[in-house]
């Protein structure tokens, strides 16, 4: 996020801002090189789906010991109209475990909380979770659900996505390799098709796993 804001500031300073297009509350700046630098974006709303459970625990490590490739989520919240970080927002995430199962649903999972948790954003608007790379379930591409609450109100409900080639690489290894042939990739997923490209995590290797980052612009 700092990088984005710095980038924006330098663009403005250098007078490289050739076009700022206001479209439904989000806008983007075009650099002098012709590349598109997203400066401040309203992150697309996407359905919460059938597996949301409200009022989960406030905790950073949400795995409850379930196995998988380590994934640190660094989710930043900014005000889409000012680009300023929002401190104290409650970020709520939930996703399937490596076996494609949601806690609280299906046989033997009632009352369990794996892969669910809430973190408050810090002064930089950042919430950090320790989890594992999500597994897949029938009919959906790989995703992490997210909700952002500010002042007790839901200001964003979305889903976060991964590059398919990265998922392919992660799924070649255990425990994911026990469930080969996932049936849906990003391009074929109907929910991804409605704004998913603007909800891609930026993923980098981190130790034995990965870090996935995104800046979510919200309206409050
Ligand atoms: Fe889901």
């Amino acid at each position: 996020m700092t990088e984005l804001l710095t980038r924006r500031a330098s663009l403005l300073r250098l007078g490289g801002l050739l076009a700022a297009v206001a479209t439904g509350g989000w806008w983007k700046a075009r650099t002098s090189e012709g590349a598109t630098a997203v400066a401040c974006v309203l992150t697309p709303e996407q359905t919460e789906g059938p597996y949301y459970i409200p009022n989960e625990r406030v905790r950073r490590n949400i795995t409850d010991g379930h196995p998988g490739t380590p994934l640190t989520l660094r989710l930043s919240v900014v005000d889409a109209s000012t680009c300023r970080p929002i401190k104290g927002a409650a970020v709520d995430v939930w996703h399937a475990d490596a076996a494609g199962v949601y806690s609280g649903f299906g046989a033997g999972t009632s009352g369990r909380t794996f892969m669910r948790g809430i973190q408050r954003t810090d002064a930089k608007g950042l919430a950090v979770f320790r989890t594992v790379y999500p597994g897949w379930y029938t009919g959906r591409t790989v995703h992490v659900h997210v909700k952002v609450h500010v002042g007790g109100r839901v200001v964003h409900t979305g889903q976060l996505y991964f590059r398919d080639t990265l998922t392919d690489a992660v799924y070649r290894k255990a425990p994911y390799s026990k469930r080969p042939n996932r049936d849906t990739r990003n391009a074929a997923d109907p929910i991804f098709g409605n704004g998913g490209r603007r909800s891609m995590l930026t993923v980098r290797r981190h130790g034995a796993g990965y870090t996935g980052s995104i800046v979510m612009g919200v309206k409050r």
Side-chain angles (χ1 to χ4, degrees):
M1 183 185 57
T2 308
E3 196 182 346
L4 284 173
L5 294 176
T6 307
R7 178 87 173 128
R8 181 183 175 221
S10 69
L11 282 174
L12 291 170
R13 260 202 312 279
L14 293 168
L17 186 67
L18 298 183
V21 185
T23 312
W26 63 273
W27 61 277
K28 55 190 176 182
R30 192 162 286 278
T31 69
S32 51
E33 309 93 76
T36 300
V38 176
C40 189
V41 173
L42 184 64
T43 305
E45 293 293 304
Q46 296 210 304
T47 177
E48 72 177 33
Y51 300 119
Y52 181 57
I53 297 175
N55 304 313
E56 282 298 340
R57 284 160 57 199
V58 176
R59 57 178 184 170
R60 176 158 291 174
N61 185 325
I62 63 172
T63 64
D64 286 356
H66 282 228
T69 297
L71 175 67
T72 298
L73 292 171
R74 296 176 61 84
L75 312 182
S76 300
V77 181
V78 301
D79 186 316
S81 56
T82 64
C83 291
R84 291 212 172 88
I86 298 178
K87 181 186 173 186
V91 178
D92 191 337
V93 300
W94 69 104
H95 64 82
D97 72 357
V101 173
Y102 279 96
S103 56
F105 293 86
T109 72
S110 76
R112 297 170 73 184
T113 59
F114 57 83
M115 312 313 173
R116 299 177 186 274
I118 296 170
Q119 286 286 275
R120 290 255 175 205
T121 56
D122 66 12
K124 292 177 178 168
L126 177 66
V128 178
F129 294 91
R130 307 254 183 250
T131 187
V132 297
Y133 203 94
W136 64 277
Y137 60 97
T138 302
R140 286 302 319 278
T141 192
V142 181
H143 60 279
V144 171
H145 293 271
V146 62
K147 261 186 200 292
V148 180
H149 316 249
V150 175
R153 211 165 54 83
V154 174
V155 296
H156 176 61
T157 300
Q159 300 189 21
L160 309 175
Y161 299 97
F162 304 84
R163 279 184 300 106
D164 281 311
T165 49
L166 172 63
T167 299
D168 291 341
V170 171
Y171 282 12
R172 277 194 281 274
K173 295 176 192 154
Y176 308 90
S177 54
K178 278 186 262 175
R179 296 177 65 241
N181 307 321
R182 65 190 171 103
D183 64 4
T184 308
R185 298 169 78 86
N186 289 342
D189 184 292
I191 299 173
F192 179 90
N194 189 16
R197 278 187 302 121
R198 285 184 277 133
S199 300
M200 298 294 293
L201 288 161
T202 299
V203 181
R204 298 204 161 79
R205 275 183 197 280
H206 177 76
Y210 298 92
T211 294
S213 309
I214 192 168
V215 178
M216 299 179 289
V218 306
K219 270 189 211 167
R220 49 168 158 184

